[in-house]
Amino acid sequence: MIFIGFKPMNIKQQEFVDVPLFQLEAFTLHELSQDGLVTLMKGSKAIRYNDRYKVFNIDYTDNSKNFIANMRADNGLYRDKDDVIDLTGNVIYNREDGLIFESQEATYNKKSAIAKTNKDYVIYRDSNRVVGTSLTYDNRLNRVKSKNVVAKYQIQEK
């Protein structure tokens, strides 16, 4: 009799697939091994999900290879499982020997030490400068692969 006068509420169930675990403000994350500091990641804000960190104003340093590499960008997405960092907005890659490249987006694979971008970039070291439309840089082998390259290279006198 009660169902004649009142209709039961139909409550719709929702599934939440991608819920953040926590959020950090002005943080520094250190990764240590037996040999010492391996990576250092800083940011103004980070949102931790189950499999990744979304970082704002990212400053990431990789000390696991022959040369220390530092990357800064407006935004970063660090995927734990793959050890890959996707950087967007004013990306600057700076290696301790003076090699620098700038682009609007880049991907860095920590395992292979390869930085890639499919956007326009500028790479320079001292007075040498290269401009192109895509870049693959191998930090281990010190090799660069690029398309549509315009290079200005200063030959040193002996």
Side-chain angles (χ1 to χ4, degrees):
M1 188 76 171
I2 198 163
F3 288 113
I4 295 172
F6 299 101
K7 294 189 179 185
M9 286 180 30
N10 185 7
I11 298 175
K12 185 178 181 182
Q13 290 187 348
Q14 295 180 352
E15 277 190 43
F16 295 98
V17 178
D18 204 19
V19 178
L21 300 174
F22 58 85
Q23 181 174 312
L24 301 168
E25 301 285 335
F27 77 98
T28 302
L29 181 118
H30 300 84
E31 180 186 355
L32 303 170
S33 73
Q34 293 176 344
D35 299 327
L37 183 66
V38 178
T39 57
L40 176 69
M41 183 167 56
K42 298 179 187 178
S44 62
K45 178 181 170 184
I47 301 171
R48 171 70 171 147
Y49 294 90
N50 190 35
D51 60 346
R52 67 193 184 282
Y53 287 92
K54 184 176 181 181
V55 183
F56 301 88
N57 299 313
I58 189 169
D59 185 345
Y60 180 85
T61 302
D62 184 0
N63 188 28
S64 64
K65 308 301 178 269
N66 291 341
F67 292 107
I68 297 172
N70 176 263
M71 290 147 269
R72 294 182 308 276
D74 294 340
N75 300 296
L77 185 68
Y78 179 71
R79 295 178 275 156
D80 293 350
K81 184 176 74 172
D82 306 332
D83 271 340
V84 171
I85 304 168
D86 297 317
L87 303 163
T88 56
N90 301 311
V91 177
I92 300 173
Y93 176 99
N94 191 348
R95 205 171 70 173
E96 74 175 315
D97 66 346
L99 181 96
I100 299 169
F101 90 75
E102 298 176 359
S103 183
Q104 283 304 306
E105 70 179 39
T107 300
Y108 180 73
N109 186 316
K110 184 179 165 187
K111 291 177 186 174
S112 64
I114 293 177
K116 292 182 180 183
T117 184
N118 290 319
K119 299 285 185 180
D120 292 348
Y121 74 91
V122 176
I123 189 169
Y124 47 95
R125 185 174 182 185
D126 302 323
S127 60
N128 304 316
R129 179 181 160 105
V130 177
V131 177
T133 57
S134 72
L135 172 77
T136 301
Y137 175 69
D138 189 328
N139 192 17
R140 283 190 183 142
L141 300 176
N142 198 21
R143 289 191 180 159
V144 176
K145 181 179 173 183
S146 183
K147 293 181 181 177
N148 302 321
V149 176
V150 176
K152 176 185 166 193
Y153 186 77
Q154 298 295 322
I155 298 174
Q156 295 178 350
E157 295 180 26
K158 289 191 177 194

